[in-house]
Amino acid sequence: MISTDTQPRCYFMSLTWSDSPVSTHTRALASELVRRGHKVVLLVDQQNREVEDHEANPAVYSWPSRRPTKLKDVLFLRRLIKKYRPDCLVAAFGATNVMLCVGRWMGVPNRVAWYLSITEGITIDGPLGKWKLKVLRFRKRMVYRFLTHLLPNSEAGSQEAQRRSGIPPHKCTVLYLSLPDPKLELNGSECRRDENRVVCVGRLHPFKGQDVLLKSIAKIKDRCPHATFEFVGDGPFRAECEQLAAKLGIADRCDFLGRVPHDQVLLRMGSASVAVVPSRFECFGLVNIESLAMGTPVVASDVGGIGEIFKDGEEGFLVPADDPDALAERLAKLLNDAELRKRMSEKAIERFQKFEQSNVIGDQVDWFESITT
C-alpha cells in the first residue's frame, strides 16, 4: 500500500542529458516528484555543463569528470550530500558505483540503481577480455551489496541480476521505461504506409543481429520481390553488414541510412509495413515500443524483455534469436498479408498505452515516495 505521508523528500538522480528514452524517462520522474512538492537534484554528464542550474528545482549539477569514477567525483558527491541531505539516491550507468558507495558511506537511507543492460549483450558488444569482464562483474557484485533497491527494466533483467549479481528478489522491483507518445514529436507530420518497406532500427553491432536479418532477406527475396529493407543506425558492424548484403545478392534491396534525427526515425517506422528487431540479447528493447506507438507490427527475437512488450501473434511475431529461417517465415507472412498487418497495427497502438509516459510515471513516483516514508 502506498503511504499517504506527504512530507517533502529529497532525491538525487543521475542521468545522461540527452533525448534518449532513459534520459527522458528520468526527467519525467523528476518533474513529477517536483510537482508533488519534493526536492530533486539531477547529476548530469560533464559534457552538458551548460544545463547546470543550482537554484532551480530540479537543481542540475554536472560531474567533475567525464566519467564519474575519480576521487574528485567522490568528494563532489560527498559535498552535495552534506548540503542537501537526500533521502534517496537513484543511480544509472557510469555513476552507479560512486553513488552507491558514497551513499552507503554517508548514510543515505535509500540507494537505488537502475539495471538496464543484459550482461550477455555487453559481452558480445564490447572489446574486453574474459579476465577483465570477470573482474568488472566481481566489482559490480560487491558494489551492489550497498544498494537497497534495484530497478530492472524487465522481468528478464530482474532474473539476470538475481542470478549473476546475487541480488535478493525482495530488493528487485521491475519498473518499465516509458515513452511520451512519439506522434507528438512529429508535430502532425503524416506517415504514409509503404506496404513493401521493412525497417530495422538499432546500432549496427553484432548483438543487435542485423546479419540475421540479412540472411532472412536472402531467403525471401523471390517470395517478396518488391520488398525493400532500411537499416537505420550506425556502428562498427556496418561495413560487415554491407559486405554480407553484397555477398548474398541483396545489396540492391538494402539501404543503410546511418544515423538520422529521431523524428526521421519515427517517420520511417510509421511509414514502414513491418519493423524488425533481430537482437541476440536485449534487456528491454525500446525500439519495439516506438514501433507499437507508430502502429507498425514488429517481428522480433524472443530474448530478454522483448516478450514482455508485446504478445506473439497479436501485435507482431516473436521468433527464436539467431534463426534466419524462422525470421524469414514470419517476415514473408506479414509482407504478403495486408489484412494481418492492419489487424496487428490496430493492436499495436492499443498495446502502446501500457508504456505511454503519462500512464506510467504517476505509479512509479508512487513507488519512490513509498520507499522514502
Side-chain angles (χ1 to χ4, degrees), residues 344-363:
M344 286 187 166
S345 176
E346 293 169 352
K347 287 182 175 292
I349 293 171
E350 181 180 343
R351 178 69 174 175
F352 169 67
Q353 296 308 310
K354 178 180 174 66
F355 305 99
E356 199 279 321
Q357 199 156 89
S358 64
N359 295 332
V360 171
I361 291 298
D363 288 343

Side-chain angles (χ1 to χ4, degrees), residues 49-68:
R49 249 180 207 163
E50 69 277 4
V51 302
E52 280 203 46
D53 187 342
H54 301 175
E55 304 304 319
N57 190 16
V60 183
Y61 289 81
S62 62
W63 293 100
S65 304
R66 186 174 182 85
R67 185 173 175 84

Side-chain angles (χ1 to χ4, degrees), residues 196-224:
N196 293 310
R197 191 159 59 81
V198 176
V199 65
C200 178
V201 177
R203 291 176 295 151
L204 291 171
H205 278 267
F207 92 90
K208 290 293 187 179
Q210 287 92 353
D211 56 319
V212 181
L213 174 55
L214 290 168
K215 293 172 186 176
S216 300
I217 296 169
K219 293 177 181 295
I220 63 171
K221 62 181 180 179
D222 295 329
R223 295 164 60 187
C224 306

Side-chain angles (χ1 to χ4, degrees), residues 9-180:
R9 307 293 182 181
C10 180
Y11 299 82
F12 279 20
M13 294 182 163
S14 68
L15 70 153
T16 299
W17 194 276
S18 68
D19 62 354
S20 72
V22 176
S23 179
T24 301
H25 183 84
T26 303
R27 295 204 298 266
L29 289 171
S31 294
E32 178 61 16
L33 283 165
V34 168
R35 192 190 70 79
R36 297 189 187 189
H38 303 293
K39 177 66 179 177
V40 178
V41 175
L42 298 178
L43 305 174
V44 306
D45 42 313
Q46 185 196 57
Q47 54 266 41
N48 283 298
R49 249 180 207 163
E50 69 277 4
V51 302
E52 280 203 46
D53 187 342
H54 301 175
E55 304 304 319
N57 190 16
V60 183
Y61 289 81
S62 62
W63 293 100
S65 304
R66 186 174 182 85
R67 185 173 175 84
T69 58
K70 298 181 173 58
L71 177 60
K72 59 184 176 181
D73 301 298
V74 170
L75 298 177
F76 162 79
L77 182 58
R78 179 176 178 269
R79 288 194 298 272
L80 286 183
I81 290 174
K82 290 181 71 175
K83 177 179 180 178
Y84 287 100
R85 301 293 180 184
D87 301 281
C88 180
L89 304 181
V90 186
F93 299 123
T96 299
N97 291 357
V98 69
M99 290 186 74
L100 292 182
C101 292
V102 176
R104 171 67 179 271
W105 170 36
M106 298 292 292
V108 178
N110 295 283
R111 302 174 298 277
V112 182
W114 286 99
Y115 192 87
L116 303 170
S117 300
I118 290 286
T119 305
E120 285 87 348
I122 297 172
T123 303
I124 290 178
D125 205 17
L128 301 175
K130 288 184 177 181
W131 69 270
K132 191 167 185 178
L133 281 170
K134 287 182 178 179
V135 170
L136 292 176
R137 287 172 180 165
F138 176 77
R139 184 180 70 181
K140 184 64 71 177
R141 191 182 183 100
M142 294 299 102
V143 169
Y144 278 163
R145 294 173 65 183
F146 298 147
L147 61 74
T148 58
H149 303 84
L150 188 74
L151 302 180
N153 65 338
S154 67
E155 292 291 348
S158 179
Q159 292 168 16
E160 191 202 62
Q162 294 172 43
R163 183 177 68 254
R164 285 191 173 274
S165 299
I167 309 295
H170 73 272
K171 288 189 175 184
C172 295
T173 300
V174 175
L175 294 185
Y176 290 128
L177 294 176
S178 66
L179 290 175

